[in-house]
Amino acid sequence: MSNAIILMNNQLKPQQVEMLTQLAEGYRFVTKADLAEGDFEYVEIMYGWDKSYTEAQRQSFKRLKWIQATSAGVDYLPMDIIQNPQIMISNMSGIHATPIAESVFGYLLATGRQLFTSQLQQRESNWNRPEHGGYFSLKDKVLLVYGTGNIGQEIARIGHNFSMEVIGINTNGRAIEGFDACYATAEADLIVGKADFIVSTLPATANTRHYFAENWFKMLKATALFINVGRGQTVDETALYEALKAKQIGGAYLDVFHEEPLPESSTLWELESLLISPHISGQIEHFQEETFPIFKENLVSYLNEGKLARNIVAKDKGY
Amino acid sequence: MSNAIILMNNQLKPQQVEMLTQLAEGYRFVTKADLAEGDFEYVEIMYGWDKSYTEAQRQSFKRLKWIQATSAGVDYLPMDIIQNPQIMISNMSGIHATPIAESVFGYLLATGRQLFTSQLQQRESNWNRPEHGGYFSLKDKVLLVYGTGNIGQEIARIGHNFSMEVIGINTNGRAIEGFDACYATAEADLIVGKADFIVSTLPATANTRHYFAENWFKMLKATALFINVGRGQTVDETALYEALKAKQIGGAYLDVFHEEPLPESSTLWELESLLISPHISGQIEHFQEETFPIFKENLVSYLNEGKLARNIVAKDKGY
């Protein structure tokens, strides 16, 4: 029996571990809690990453060849891991499309139907019923989606079902099925002012950092709603705070932030036209059932052919 | 010029009144505020109803022939008006389907994505992120809709787009396009226990009064969510309160109540698993634009043929 270890930084169900054990003969399955100091150098495969590994510990992962991340974005991986050519990285891109799209439409619909206001009024036993004012329907609205991958496509599909016009933004403006039109990022300024709702699904890369900044917010409609379910690094949070405070835009929903958890001292918490959720838009009802098939398929491929079958992260792009 | 009056209990835009004036030659358009005591007997047509008319005033409407209600349900009309064979009644059924369906899905999606919880936590600057627990997707869930009219059909259409199984309940179980299956009200007990979400769009009639009572709630799944966007009279509110308090069901959203406004003293306000909105689920963004064409079409038909073209209320059914 070899000493090679499959390290499970994320939990799997006992039956799932049992199934993998039969597939990966000769490997030891070890959880982070059970990992002894002498084990580090034998870790060959990781299921999930753990942010608490120190640089010294990371350097001890001498035989590490593959990390199957349990998230879609992998920007939290340290540079020394990403840039190590010996380590392949795969992600869970795709499985978060449904919950993230449901989060986006939960926000838009509940806002348009004043359900968030209703919840707050309920806590004061307050039956206040504004007549014919302040409501909006999604029908005939213009939805602009930054990022036309799995998540953007699912948002577009649902948007059409609510009779919206859906426009996509991607790097080169290539047409993507399910969008009424697509523009390149460089042309986005032409269209941003027409949008009623803007959703960003952008990853954190050098190119997207602080893309949503003061000048960008200035181009929006005064009633526009901005939603970020991508990565916090793409938004200049001070600029967004100022735009909301000055009522330059109608409102915003942020699920992701520069610093997570969002510090208690952040001024963002207090904005009434902003909804904050704690990076949960992609959380999945049956997480282990949805992620397991991807890990299993890649494990079989890795063991048989030494390469991954799917969801491979392009290290140069970072997603 | 005759003395016949078209009484506007609901507001119309000046251009709309202008357009109607040209259509209805010889009629006077009077708003409720401008209605003199001597005018009552000349009112022939009403646009909208006003609940503040006393019985004596109602008896003075001697020439009243048609009420164009601005709502879908007309259960608030007094019996002496409904039963008067001289008075035709038409409603605005249809125009509320989109906003009501959007309200239903706003509640379901925002609940499944824990956005209501997020809003409450935000007020305490609280980043609490339950991992993989408590979220739900609409995918593969069973949605049961009481009432398969315009509103029910729109809810079914959207439900399918979120990959739900949608079952309709109507009086005789007739098949309705857009539903996976339909059951008669008498057979509903067979299917209620399978539903994840139940939406009622039922009107208030003698047959629907307190349909949703103690024994009905006992048949539901422990995780079931109950939504009432029909009429408050259909729900035994004490039974619902007890079912929620005892966690017999997962939660509820009520937009309609026995008594509206819901009295400040009601114990319903305090339930954390209940969302209350102040009868706004059907409120429309551009109300006058959506209702005007229906009134206008009926007015033309009334003036030319003495009958209504559409949205006629069947007085025996009450809707």
Side-chain angles (χ1 to χ4, degrees), chain B residues 125-282:
Chain B
S125 308
N126 173 3
W127 182 283
N128 182 11
R129 191 185 175 212
E131 292 285 336
H132 316 321
Y135 309 94
F136 64 79
S137 171
L138 304 195
K139 202 177 158 195
D140 299 329
K141 297 293 191 296
V142 177
L143 174 64
L144 189 65
V145 184
Y146 278 82
T148 56
N150 288 318
I151 298 167
Q153 287 172 37
E154 178 63 1
I155 292 168
R157 188 187 69 78
I158 298 172
H160 279 141
N161 194 251
F162 283 108
S163 304
M164 304 173 92
E165 184 183 346
V166 188
I167 297 167
I169 305 284
N170 53 36
T171 45
N172 56 7
R174 66 195 178 282
I176 302 283
E177 211 187 306
F179 289 86
D180 294 304
C182 285
Y183 289 78
T185 317
E187 304 164 334
D189 293 7
L190 301 171
I191 197 77
V192 159
K194 292 183 187 167
D196 295 294
F197 315 124
I198 302 100
V199 182
S200 173
T201 69
L202 295 180
T205 68
N207 289 329
T208 61
R209 190 181 160 79
H210 280 207
Y211 174 86
F212 303 104
E214 188 181 348
N215 286 331
W216 186 85
F217 289 114
K218 280 191 177 153
M219 293 188 288
L220 303 191
K221 274 189 185 179
T223 53
L225 301 180
F226 173 68
I227 298 170
N228 190 9
V229 287
R231 281 292 182 263
Q233 289 75 10
T234 62
V235 174
D236 178 339
E237 289 175 353
T238 308
L240 175 60
Y241 177 88
E242 295 298 340
L244 288 168
K245 199 80 182 170
K247 299 190 175 170
Q248 209 175 294
I249 66 173
Y253 163 36
L254 299 182
D255 183 52
V256 288
F257 301 86
H258 267 264
E259 192 182 341
E260 297 180 7
L262 182 65
E264 242 189 277
S265 61
S266 170
T267 50
L268 292 173
W269 292 110
E270 77 205 24
L271 288 169
E272 282 183 16
S273 59
L274 172 67
L275 177 68
I276 289 174
S277 64
H279 201 147
I280 56 175
S281 68

Side-chain angles (χ1 to χ4, degrees), chain A residues 10 98-107 109-110 113-133 135-139 141 154 157-158 160-163 253 255-257 259-264 266 268-272 274-287 290, chain B residues 10 98-107 109-110 113-133 135-139 141 154 157-158 160-163 253 255-257 259-264 266 268-272 274-287 290:
Chain A
N10 276 59
T98 296
I100 289 180
E102 290 186 344
S103 297
V104 166
F105 285 93
Y107 167 73
L109 292 166
R113 301 314 310 160
Q114 297 208 358
L115 298 184
F116 292 120
T117 306
S118 293
Q119 179 179 241
L120 296 181
Q121 288 188 181
Q122 180 177 348
R123 291 161 66 86
E124 295 163 352
S125 307
N126 173 4
W127 181 283
N128 182 12
R129 189 185 177 214
E131 292 284 336
H132 316 320
Y135 308 94
F136 64 80
S137 170
L138 303 194
K139 202 177 160 196
K141 297 293 191 297
E154 178 64 0
R157 188 187 69 78
I158 298 172
H160 278 142
N161 194 251
F162 283 107
S163 304
Y253 163 36
D255 183 52
V256 287
F257 301 86
E259 192 183 341
E260 297 178 7
L262 182 65
E264 241 189 277
S266 170
L268 292 173
W269 291 111
E270 77 204 24
L271 288 169
E272 282 183 16
L274 172 68
L275 177 68
I276 289 173
S277 64
H279 202 149
I280 56 175
S281 68
Q283 294 282 307
I284 290 167
E285 185 173 1
H286 303 292
F287 185 75
E290 302 241 16
Chain B
N10 277 59
T98 296
I100 290 181
E102 289 187 346
S103 297
V104 166
F105 285 94
Y107 167 73
L109 292 166
R113 301 313 309 160
Q114 297 209 359
L115 298 185
F116 292 120
T117 306
S118 293
Q119 180 181 238
L120 296 181
Q121 287 188 183
Q122 181 177 345
R123 291 163 66 86
E124 295 164 352
S125 308
N126 173 3
W127 182 283
N128 182 11
R129 191 185 175 212
E131 292 285 336
H132 316 321
Y135 309 94
F136 64 79
S137 171
L138 304 195
K139 202 177 158 195
K141 297 293 191 296
E154 178 63 1
R157 188 187 69 78
I158 298 172
H160 279 141
N161 194 251
F162 283 108
S163 304
Y253 163 36
D255 183 52
V256 288
F257 301 86
E259 192 182 341
E260 297 180 7
L262 182 65
E264 242 189 277
S266 170
L268 292 173
W269 292 110
E270 77 205 24
L271 288 169
E272 282 183 16
L274 172 67
L275 177 68
I276 289 174
S277 64
H279 201 147
I280 56 175
S281 68
Q283 294 283 306
I284 291 168
E285 186 173 1
H286 303 293
F287 185 75
E290 302 242 15

Side-chain angles (χ1 to χ4, degrees), chain B residues 284-303:
Chain B
I284 291 168
E285 186 173 1
H286 303 293
F287 185 75
Q288 290 158 329
E289 281 82 347
E290 302 242 15
T291 54
F292 184 69
I294 295 174
F295 180 41
K296 190 179 151 194
E297 188 180 340
N298 271 341
L299 183 62
V300 169
S301 173
Y302 175 87
L303 295 172

